[in-house]
Amino acid sequence: MTNAEADAILAQARDWRAAGRGVAIATVVSTWGSAPRGVGSQLVMTDDGAFMGSVSGGCVEGAVVTEGQEVIADGQPRLLDFGISDDQAWEVGLACGGKLEIFIERVEA
């Protein structure tokens, strides 16, 4: 993630929050093996399902947005852990496995 992309995500979070929307930010905090996004990648989301940025892609990103809406509702930050072993990856036709941890926190006013 470039500094310009990070700045854009934080600016979007500020704008959505200033508009009175519930907002959370998800950040990739660790990776192992094959991971589509690096540490520091971020996604900002609202309580009504809008989002910007990326922390992974595919089904992981959908799960992060769903969990982010829970974080907005209850204010409790979460550390999510996603992964697939090399053996499991091989069974579904992927070349290797990987793991990532994503921290989600609510943006307060």
Side-chain angles (χ1 to χ4, degrees), residues 72-90:
I72 293 168
D74 67 21
Q76 298 299 310
R78 289 165 175 74
L79 181 62
L80 308 179
D81 185 9
F82 297 95
I84 182 169
S85 71
D86 285 344
D87 290 339
Q88 291 171 319
W90 184 255

Side-chain angles (χ1 to χ4, degrees), residues 52-101:
M52 174 185 171
S54 179
V55 290
S56 177
C59 59
V60 168
E61 206 137 273
V64 168
V65 170
T66 299
E67 198 70 32
Q69 291 178 327
E70 294 292 322
V71 170
I72 293 168
D74 67 21
Q76 298 299 310
R78 289 165 175 74
L79 181 62
L80 308 179
D81 185 9
F82 297 95
I84 182 169
S85 71
D86 285 344
D87 290 339
Q88 291 171 319
W90 184 255
E91 289 175 10
V92 296
L94 300 173
C96 59
K99 178 180 175 182
L100 70 154
E101 289 182 319

